[in-house]
Amino acid sequence: MRKKTVLAATLVVAAALSLSACSGDDSAKSPVADVSAGANRPATVLDQPFTKPNLVLTDTHGKKYDLREQTKGKPTLIYFGYTHCPDVCPLTMSNIAIARKQLPKADQDKLQVVFVTTDPERDTPAELAKWLPSAGDPSFTGLSGDFPTIQAGARQIGIGIDPPKKEKDGTVVSMHGAQVIAFSPKTDKGYVLYGEDTTADDYAKDLPKIIRGESP
């Protein structure tokens, strides 16, 4: 997976915002990549970092979770997906979990991984509480709430999601962008983007720098 490099004044990271098999059209504004980025890296460092979404949802304990307040000053990875996703969502959570386990214990405790459902009708807090430990790690935070709030929060960081849709065969598909956004503990800005092809090894190499608020 190559690090996307573009002319900041004219091009956007279209490749980085490519859609997964379980995701749909992303009509939100794409971030602009850092022109100093090198090749052959999994990350896209943004020269226009995202502000952390203003999201207040419900966590797996049934308690109100203010994303900005509860991750303030902490290295944070945010991903929007759903538990019935057949491939990309569980793989992404698994890759991050594998990488997290390779960190020193102190760094594991610092890292915040937040999974926000794009299918809140089915992904209740109780359902997320059952799914996240098996798909990822018990330390991951799962959030649910009303769809319009979630959709608006996703768009604040350039990720488009559509309301879940029932297919002709009866299956329900949640269309969403499949990017992981890393937020700096120094600025609370989303400054690094990872696409769906990012591997556990890629995350393992980058997470120590993400935790320190450095560019990978």
Side-chain angles (χ1 to χ4, degrees):
M1 182 177 179
R2 294 185 178 179
K3 185 159 186 174
K4 292 83 184 174
T5 58
V6 297
L7 296 176
T10 58
L11 300 180
V12 295
V13 193
L17 295 181
S18 59
L19 303 167
S20 69
C22 68
S23 50
D25 181 39
D26 189 339
S27 58
K29 182 179 179 181
S30 301
V32 179
D34 182 357
V35 295
S36 66
N40 300 317
R41 297 288 292 131
T44 299
V45 178
L46 309 176
D47 66 1
Q48 296 178 9
F50 287 114
T51 298
K52 192 172 289 181
N54 184 18
L55 270 176
V56 179
L57 297 169
T58 302
D59 67 15
T60 54
H61 303 290
K63 296 181 179 179
K64 183 178 76 172
Y65 188 97
D66 186 320
L67 181 66
R68 287 183 177 175
E69 283 299 314
Q70 296 193 236
T71 62
K72 186 176 182 179
K74 300 176 182 179
T76 303
L77 303 181
I78 296 178
Y79 181 78
F80 288 80
Y82 68 118
T83 66
H84 290 78
C85 174
D87 39 41
V88 177
C89 299
L91 178 60
T92 298
M93 291 298 98
S94 175
N95 284 339
I96 295 173
I98 291 169
R100 178 184 176 275
K101 287 181 173 66
Q102 298 179 43
L103 294 168
K105 181 63 167 61
D107 284 349
Q108 290 186 35
D109 292 341
K110 292 176 184 176
L111 182 66
Q112 307 295 302
V113 180
V114 180
F115 180 93
V116 184
T117 181
T118 60
D119 184 14
E121 185 172 334
R122 292 187 295 173
D123 288 346
T124 62
E127 185 66 24
L128 288 170
K130 290 188 296 183
W131 183 81
L132 272 177
S134 59
D137 188 275
S139 70
F140 292 179
T141 297
L143 299 179
S144 187
D146 65 274
F147 183 83
T149 297
I150 292 169
Q151 184 180 50
R155 291 191 179 279
Q156 290 174 37
I157 54 174
I159 296 175
I161 61 175
D162 292 334
K165 179 182 178 182
K166 181 173 287 189
E167 301 292 333
K168 292 180 180 180
D169 63 1
T171 60
V172 178
V173 177
S174 178
M175 310 290 278
H176 65 92
Q179 298 77 44
V180 173
I181 309 292
F183 288 80
S184 168
K186 295 179 179 179
T187 65
D188 280 320
K189 298 288 188 178
Y191 72 116
V192 185
L193 180 150
Y194 293 93
E196 64 182 85
D197 294 329
T198 307
T199 67
D201 286 343
D202 293 331
Y203 283 117
K205 291 175 183 176
D206 286 1
L207 284 181
K209 292 185 177 181
I210 296 294
I211 289 167
R212 294 192 297 269
E214 301 172 358
S215 293

